[in-house]
């Protein structure tokens, strides 16, 4: 106790013999911490209290120092303080409102600290008392709502959002936070939307508002009807949705910019330094990624925002006049100071195009997916792939991804690898956005074949490619893409699975992945004539299968061996055996023809053109089996498959947000400065 007093409650030591003086607010807190009613001797006690500058550290420390029993003894005074805070929020004088908001933060956090150790301890009873809880919390939420929607002070709004974030994140598992029931009943959803739709509010508070919304949407989302989910799914106001998109785009593009700067700094041997940055930042961006996921997953109208070329993000130069910056640093990140995305984020050819949220997100994904060794990066990589899965299933998203009139240069980050040169950015072609998605998938496939094999991420990657192909087949979109890179990556993946069979089978069912890869080839073989750009692309597919036939032969031997044994892999392996039927038919049909062509013409090594010539002239005698269901897929479902992942993710975000709500983000200096100019 003495230690806390020394830190927060003492003014000065006048001499060795005299006791140090306590500031008045600390003496008043001490009165609250007795069993007596502090207003008994001083009827103006509560009025005076909210004119005093809050000492957050002392108040929280005092609460933490008590055990559960001691706290119960002063429950009436704690209830009284809580209720007077709520009353003070309705005062006209902003200083009282500020002090009340800060006191509430300290109270909620301090009392929750006790909750960890005491069983049967009810937080609501301790703070407000059961009998008054409903009315008190209704008044609190209404006050916060009107403060957030008012024309007034931006610093006050900032503090209201901090209090709400404090309220939401006091427990690691937000679904166990009973106070949130009142935040569900007395919704502040419209206030959050209002912040996002106004350029000034968005600039000042957009980050906190988006994080708050993402957390509220995840409160008991699988157990009960969450009004924030219902409301978010039907928002159709363009300004609001665009505002939300802008906040997300800014947080991600700021991260991309920092990464690019670091990359240029560490041009030689930079990978370890960069991964540290990626790791640290991945934590703070988990919340923004979650918000993007919820918007894409829940709201069909948000899909249009992904492709919006925002005028703010477009061909504007950064203003020279000073732009108001966020008064209180948001949680763990510093977004750009205005709605103008920094020039570094603009595509290379500024005369031709603007950027959009999807491009920013793809670049971001290409950074966080490079290295998945630690938990946060793995979570972020997985979340990026889940977002892309939702996008790849959406009809409208596919329409603009494949739109030939919407071409972009997307400069994805590529992992430095010994056996390949760093691609020159300047030669990037302008292509439909789906090409960048496919590039990202190919990049992931090529760069993650390692002992700690991220099986789950590979499955998602292949599913995304499959969903895009299903759309192309259905809508007969002939995409000019270098398909050979994808085919080669997929064959190398099969090769990796085979050469590490023993190690991988100890942890994963690699046959599910092998089956998906083989079926992608089956999709190209069966339907390629409906979506490959030219007849010669179809010939190249056959050439690639024949050239790499050894890998398919080895795969066949491996699955045949396991499907004839009675072991645990019998069934999954035999599925791959059946799936290989057409690939084997192609190899067995063309190989003898190629060998005889070589013998007749006395050529030891055929060129690609000569092989293609043999392929073209022998199509008509090839017999293939029709395979069912190649263009069908199971749609993404969060509740049944991903609930555990999202619970863990939200827990991690909640802990991180709470950690970043440090005392200094609730500081009064800026507020006092702002209010000293108010008459």
């Amino acid at each position: 106790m003495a230690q806390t007093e020394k830190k927060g409650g003492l003014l000065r030591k006048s001499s060795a013999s005299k006791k140090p003086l306590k500031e008045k607010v600390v003496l008043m807190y001490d009165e609250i911490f007795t069993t007596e009613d502090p207003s008994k001797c001083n009827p103006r006690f509560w009025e005076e209290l909210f004119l005093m500058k809050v000492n957050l550290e002392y108040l929280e420390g005092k609460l933490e120092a008590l055990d559960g029993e001691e706290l119960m003894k002063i429950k009436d005074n704690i209830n009284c303080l809580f209720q007077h805070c709520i009353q003070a929020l309705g005062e006209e004088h902003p200083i009282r409102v500020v002090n009340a908001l800060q006191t509430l933060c300290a109270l909620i956090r301090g009392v929750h600290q006790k909750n960890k150790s005491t069983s049967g301890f009810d937080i609501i009873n301790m703070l407000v008392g059961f009998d008054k809880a409903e009315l008190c919390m209704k008044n609190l939420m209404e006050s916060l709502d009107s403060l957030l929607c008012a024309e007034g002070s931006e610093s006050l709004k900032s503090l209201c959002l901090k209090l709400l974030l404090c309220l939401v994140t006091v427990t690691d598992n937000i679904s166990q936070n009973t106070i949130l029931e009142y935040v569900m009943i007395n919704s502040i959803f419209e206030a959050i939307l209002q912040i996002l739709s106004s350029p000034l509010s968005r600039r000042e508070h957009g980050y906190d508002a988006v994080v708050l919304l993402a957390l509220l949407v995840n409160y008991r989302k699988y157990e009960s009807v969450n009004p924030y989910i219902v409301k978010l799914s039907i928002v159709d106001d363009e300004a609001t949705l665009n505002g939300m998109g802008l906040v997300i785009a800014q947080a991600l593009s700021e991260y991309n910019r920092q990464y690019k700067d670091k990359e240029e700094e560490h041009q030689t041997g930079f990978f370890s330094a960069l991964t540290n940055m990626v790791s640290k930042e991945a934590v703070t961006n988990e919340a923004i990624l979650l918000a993007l996921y919820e918007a894409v997953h829940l709201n069909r109208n948000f899909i249009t925002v992904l492709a919006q070329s925002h005028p703010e993000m477009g061909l504007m130069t950064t203003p020279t006049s000073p732009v108001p910056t966020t008064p209180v640093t948001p949680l763990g990140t510093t977004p750009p100071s205005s709605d103008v995305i920094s020039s570094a984020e603009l595509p290379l050819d500024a005369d031709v195009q603007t950027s959009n949220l999807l491009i920013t997100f793809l670049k971001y994904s290409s950074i966080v997916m490079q290295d998945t060794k630690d938990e946060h990066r793995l979570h972020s990589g997985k979340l990026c792939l889940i977002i892309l899965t939702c996008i790849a299933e959406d009809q409208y998203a596919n329409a603009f991804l494949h739109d030939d009139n919407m071409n972009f240069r997307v400069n994805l980050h590529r992992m430095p690898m010994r056996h390949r040169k760093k691609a020159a950015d300047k030669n990037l072609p302008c292509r439909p956005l789906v090409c960048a998605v496919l590039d990202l998938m190919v990049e992931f496939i090529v760069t993650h074949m390692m002992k700690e094999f991220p099986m789950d991420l590979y499955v998602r990657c292949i599913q995304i490619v499959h969903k895009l192909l299903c759309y192309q087949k259905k809508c007969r979109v002939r995409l000019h893409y270098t398909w050979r890179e994808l085919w080669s990556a997929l064959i190398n993946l099969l090769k990796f699975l085979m050469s590490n069979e023993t190690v991988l089978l100890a942890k994963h069912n690699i046959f599910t992945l092998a089956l998906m890869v083989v079926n992608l080839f089956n999709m190209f073989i069966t339907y390629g004539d409906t979506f490959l750009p030219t007849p010669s692309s179809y010939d190249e597919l056959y050439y690639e299968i024949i050239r790499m036939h050894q890998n398919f032969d080895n795969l066949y031997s491996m699955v045949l061996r396991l499907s004839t044994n009675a072991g645990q892999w019998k069934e999954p392996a035999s599925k791959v055996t059946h799936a290989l039927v057409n690939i084997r038919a192609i190899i067995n049909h063309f190989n003898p023809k190629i060998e005889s062509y070589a013998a007749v013409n006395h050529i030891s090594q055929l060129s690609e053109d000569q092989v293609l010539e043999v392929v073209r002239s022998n199509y008509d005698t090839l017999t293939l089996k029709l395979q069912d269901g190649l263009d069908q897929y199971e749609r993404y479902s969060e509740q049944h498959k991903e609930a555990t992942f999202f619970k863990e993710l939200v827990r991690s975000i909640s802990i991180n947000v709470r950690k970043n709500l440090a005392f200094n983000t609730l500081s009064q200096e800026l507020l006092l400065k702002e209010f000293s100019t108010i008459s």
Side-chain angles (χ1 to χ4, degrees):
M1 191 58 229
Q3 203 179 1
T4 319
E5 284 192 7
K6 197 161 56 192
K7 187 170 57 175
L10 303 187
L11 283 178
R12 65 178 186 274
K13 285 189 174 177
S14 50
S15 73
S17 60
K18 286 184 186 170
K19 276 191 171 177
L21 293 172
K22 285 188 177 184
E23 50 182 308
K24 181 156 185 199
V25 76
V26 167
L27 293 168
M28 295 183 86
Y29 291 153
D30 287 347
E31 283 185 58
I32 296 170
F33 282 82
T34 65
T35 48
E36 292 290 310
D37 172 2
S39 62
K40 208 167 164 184
C41 302
N42 176 6
R44 294 179 54 81
F45 180 87
W46 299 110
E47 275 175 60
E48 285 173 17
L49 181 69
F50 294 110
L51 287 172
M52 304 278 163
K53 183 179 172 183
V54 177
N55 188 328
L56 276 166
E57 281 181 83
Y58 185 80
L59 187 52
E60 268 191 58
K62 191 101 176 159
L63 285 162
E64 279 172 45
L66 300 179
D67 64 27
E69 234 173 86
E70 289 171 319
L71 198 59
M72 277 313 285
K73 283 180 189 160
I74 60 159
K75 176 183 147 330
D76 290 349
N77 282 357
I78 299 281
N79 288 179
C80 215
L81 174 58
F82 199 87
Q83 284 159 28
H84 278 94
C85 284
I86 294 169
Q87 277 171 24
L89 293 182
E91 297 268 353
E92 275 183 30
H93 203 300
I95 289 294
R96 285 181 190 275
V97 181
V98 169
N99 289 331
L101 286 167
Q102 293 186 315
T103 307
L104 283 169
C105 283
L107 259 183
I108 291 163
R109 291 207 299 206
V111 171
H112 253 286
Q113 289 295 325
K114 298 266 72 50
N115 202 19
K116 289 173 184 158
S117 52
T118 322
S119 54
F121 176 98
D122 191 279
I123 192 84
I124 291 167
N125 190 31
M126 195 61 238
L127 284 171
V128 257
F130 285 133
D131 50 339
K132 305 190 187 72
E134 213 160 299
L135 183 63
C136 262
M137 291 305 293
K138 180 174 182 283
N139 292 340
L140 171 62
M141 295 308 295
E142 281 174 0
S143 293
L144 292 175
D145 188 72
S146 50
L147 286 168
L148 286 171
C149 295
E151 286 292 301
S153 148
E154 294 306 323
S155 302
L156 261 186
K157 287 182 188 178
S158 179
L159 203 48
C160 287
L161 286 167
K162 301 281 186 238
L163 172 61
L164 284 161
L165 283 167
C166 175
L167 199 67
V168 175
T169 60
V170 276
T171 53
D172 292 357
N173 176 352
I174 64 168
S175 295
Q176 288 173 351
N177 183 352
T178 43
I179 295 187
L180 287 189
E181 282 301 324
Y182 299 104
V183 186
M184 294 294 128
I185 301 163
N186 307 290
S187 171
I188 45 150
F189 183 80
E190 282 70 24
I192 294 174
L193 293 200
Q194 190 177 312
I195 287 169
L196 294 175
S197 59
S198 139
L200 174 69
S201 289
R202 176 172 69 238
R203 196 154 54 223
E204 303 278 358
H205 320 293
Y207 185 89
D208 284 357
V210 162
V211 172
L212 178 63
L213 182 58
L215 288 166
L216 289 172
V217 161
N218 279 278
Y219 173 72
R220 304 192 62 182
K221 59 152 67 164
Y222 307 118
E223 294 117 66
S224 57
V225 178
N226 177 324
Y228 291 84
I229 292 181
V230 178
K231 290 178 175 185
L232 179 58
S233 63
I234 54 174
V235 176
D236 58 0
D237 177 62
E238 213 175 312
T240 307
L241 292 171
N242 281 344
M244 190 173 182
L246 261 168
V247 172
I248 294 167
Q250 280 173 347
L252 298 182
S253 64
E254 175 62 14
Y255 173 83
N256 293 350
R257 189 188 58 72
Q258 285 176 11
Y259 181 86
K260 202 165 188 282
D261 294 349
K262 283 273 193 306
E263 192 180 38
E264 281 158 14
E265 245 174 71
H266 302 277
Q267 218 53 91
T268 50
F270 67 78
F271 197 61
S272 62
L274 281 177
T275 47
N276 290 341
M277 178 208 148
V278 172
S279 178
K280 196 168 91 241
E281 287 292 331
V283 185
T284 59
N285 278 310
E286 277 177 348
I288 281 290
L289 273 189
L290 179 66
L292 175 58
Y293 163 75
E294 296 296 359
V296 167
H297 179 232
L298 294 173
N299 189 305
R300 290 295 313 278
N301 304 312
F302 189 80
I303 293 287
T304 59
V305 173
L306 294 172
Q308 284 274 318
S309 298
H310 294 278
E312 296 103 320
M313 294 193 185
L315 310 173
M316 293 170 66
T317 51
T318 309
T320 46
S321 58
V323 183
T325 50
T326 315
V328 179
T329 312
L331 312 174
T333 187
T334 321
S337 57
S338 79
D339 274 350
V340 181
I341 284 293
S342 64
S343 55
E345 182 53 22
L346 286 178
L348 292 158
D349 192 348
D351 300 326
V352 179
Q353 65 191 27
T354 55
S355 189
N356 59 35
L357 174 53
L358 187 63
I359 293 174
T360 304
F361 169 65
L362 288 171
K363 288 183 184 182
Y364 177 83
S365 302
S366 73
I367 297 169
V368 292
M369 280 162 53
Q370 280 184 27
D371 184 22
T372 52
K373 285 195 186 69
D374 87 10
E375 191 190 14
H376 288 295
R377 276 173 282 179
L378 193 64
H379 274 168
S380 292
K382 180 170 174 172
L383 192 48
C384 288
L385 288 170
I386 291 176
I387 293 167
L388 283 169
T389 302
C390 295
I391 291 170
E393 278 183 11
D394 186 276
Q395 192 71 12
Y396 180 81
N398 267 304
F400 73 70
L401 280 176
H402 290 87
D403 188 342
D404 234 355
N405 302 312
M406 283 176 64
N407 290 324
F408 293 90
R409 280 192 188 88
V410 184
N411 180 8
L412 298 174
H413 290 267
R414 287 158 65 89
M415 203 191 269
M417 292 174 82
R418 273 192 288 279
H419 60 272
R420 67 175 184 188
K421 289 206 285 281
K422 194 169 172 1
D425 304 337
K426 302 209 168 31
N427 308 331
L428 284 171
C430 251
R431 302 173 300 169
L433 281 171
V434 69
C435 296
V437 180
L438 289 165
D439 282 351
L440 184 63
M441 298 303 100
V442 170
E443 175 67 9
F444 183 86
I445 294 167
V446 171
T447 53
H448 288 77
M449 298 181 210
M450 51 199 180
K451 282 208 172 65
E452 286 300 313
F453 187 68
M455 176 76 170
D456 174 49
L457 302 192
Y458 267 99
V459 168
R460 290 169 198 278
C461 241
I462 305 297
Q463 284 172 337
I464 290 165
V465 175
H466 180 234
K467 285 168 182 180
L468 295 171
L469 289 182
C470 289
Y471 175 83
Q472 290 166 25
K473 180 246 164 190
K474 189 177 94 182
C475 299
R476 299 193 165 245
V477 176
R478 294 190 185 277
L479 185 69
H480 287 273
Y481 182 71
T482 43
W483 290 110
R484 200 176 251 190
E485 283 181 18
L486 173 67
W487 299 330
S488 153
L490 293 171
I491 292 169
N492 282 326
L493 175 56
L494 289 175
K495 194 171 159 185
F496 175 80
L497 294 179
M498 287 182 286
S499 51
N500 295 277
E501 177 195 343
T502 326
V503 179
L504 293 174
L505 274 179
K507 292 185 189 171
H508 311 287
N509 173 1
I510 57 173
F511 302 107
T512 52
L513 185 57
L515 181 64
M516 291 167 75
V517 172
V518 169
N519 277 337
L520 274 189
F521 279 102
N522 286 330
M523 185 98 182
F524 280 104
I525 293 163
T526 312
Y527 302 118
D529 57 337
T530 65
F531 63 81
L532 284 171
T534 59
S536 64
S537 321
Y538 198 69
D539 304 336
E540 280 170 18
L541 167 70
Y542 278 66
Y543 172 78
E544 211 57 33
I545 290 170
I546 295 157
R547 185 173 75 86
M548 304 295 273
H549 73 88
Q550 194 60 59
N551 291 302
F552 292 109
D553 295 344
N554 294 347
L555 178 64
Y556 184 72
S557 309
M558 172 179 147
V559 290
L560 196 64
R561 179 181 85 243
L562 287 159
S563 60
T564 47
N565 292 347
Q568 70 176 115
W569 304 118
K570 184 180 169 70
E571 199 188 325
S574 60
K575 283 182 182 167
V576 183
T577 318
H578 297 309
L580 280 163
V581 57
N582 282 342
I583 293 176
R584 287 179 50 71
I586 290 167
I587 293 166
N588 295 336
H589 175 74
F590 287 106
N591 265 356
K593 303 262 192 300
I594 290 165
E595 281 161 22
S596 87
Y597 179 92
V600 169
N601 294 289
H602 308 293
I603 306 168
S604 60
Q605 189 81 41
L606 266 63
S607 69
E608 184 175 331
D609 287 341
Q610 288 165 325
V611 174
L612 287 169
E613 186 50 48
V614 177
V615 168
R616 285 189 198 103
S617 49
N618 287 286
Y619 271 135
D620 47 359
T621 50
L622 170 68
T623 315
L624 296 175
K625 284 194 172 146
L626 194 64
Q627 291 175 308
D628 287 333
L630 290 174
D631 57 345
Q632 307 294 313
Y633 58 80
E634 192 185 341
R635 288 188 70 83
Y636 168 77
S637 157
E638 179 189 319
Q639 187 158 351
H640 304 297
K641 300 257 177 83
E642 312 294 349
T644 312
F645 168 69
F646 279 102
K647 278 176 186 162
E648 279 175 28
L649 181 74
V650 172
R651 186 188 193 89
S652 157
I653 291 168
S654 178
I655 292 168
N656 187 53
V657 168
R658 183 171 69 233
K659 201 171 75 191
N660 284 301
L661 273 172
F663 290 116
N664 58 353
T665 64
L666 307 166
S667 131
Q668 273 189 327
E669 306 315 314
L670 283 152
L671 295 157
L672 295 172
K673 201 180 286 179
E674 183 181 331
F675 296 129
S676 64
T677 60
I678 297 173
S679 54

